[in-house]
Amino acid sequence: MTTSITLAYCITHDHLTATLSPEYFLFGKDLASDPRPFRWAVTALAAKASWPLGLLAGMALRFANEPSERLPQRLPLRRLLHFVAIPMVTATLAALLLGTSPMSIDPLDQSTVAEMLAGSTHAAAFVRVWRVHIGSYVGGALGLLLAVALVRLQRGRRRDGR
């Protein structure tokens, strides 16, 4: 389930960002040398990059729900699935936050790299999309940690009868 949700999120995410900066994918992800039509290449890239993340998220939530001496009772699957949304929401929020951050804030000198790869006319969009992707990864990772912690907390409450 987490892999399917992650695939859907990432494919949608990459198609939206490919609309904002095709150059990010053509030159930053080297899709210019891909013989497939651009949108098919974006879909394949998104699927290849995202399915391991979805699998990892599912494994993390499953392990967080495993019985232990301290927390012997699992959450039912239906309840556990509610926590799947957390990494998606935090990934989206972090992507929006970083993607809309002022271009004047550039501690990693992304603009210089973007100008070399995409040219000066497309550099700003390239950097925005690059930041959106960084935000998605960081936000998703933090959201997964939060989801795991909340599963453990919820299990502790169930054990205590709360």
Side-chain angles (χ1 to χ4, degrees), residues 71-88:
L71 299 171
Q73 187 175 8
R74 290 180 177 168
L75 295 178
L77 181 60
R78 178 173 280 188
R79 180 74 183 118
L80 185 64
L81 289 176
H82 289 103
F83 294 94
V84 173
I86 294 171
M88 298 297 124

Side-chain angles (χ1 to χ4, degrees), residues 64-66 71 73 151-159:
N65 201 36
E66 274 300 296
L71 299 171
Q73 187 175 8
V151 166
R152 302 289 293 179
L153 182 66
Q154 184 70 36
R155 287 181 60 209
R157 286 185 177 158
R158 286 178 56 111
R159 182 193 66 186

Side-chain angles (χ1 to χ4, degrees), residues 11-21 39 129:
I11 290 169
T12 302
H13 176 279
D14 279 8
H15 277 281
L16 289 172
T17 56
T19 301
L20 298 173
S21 176
R39 291 295 176 167
V129 167

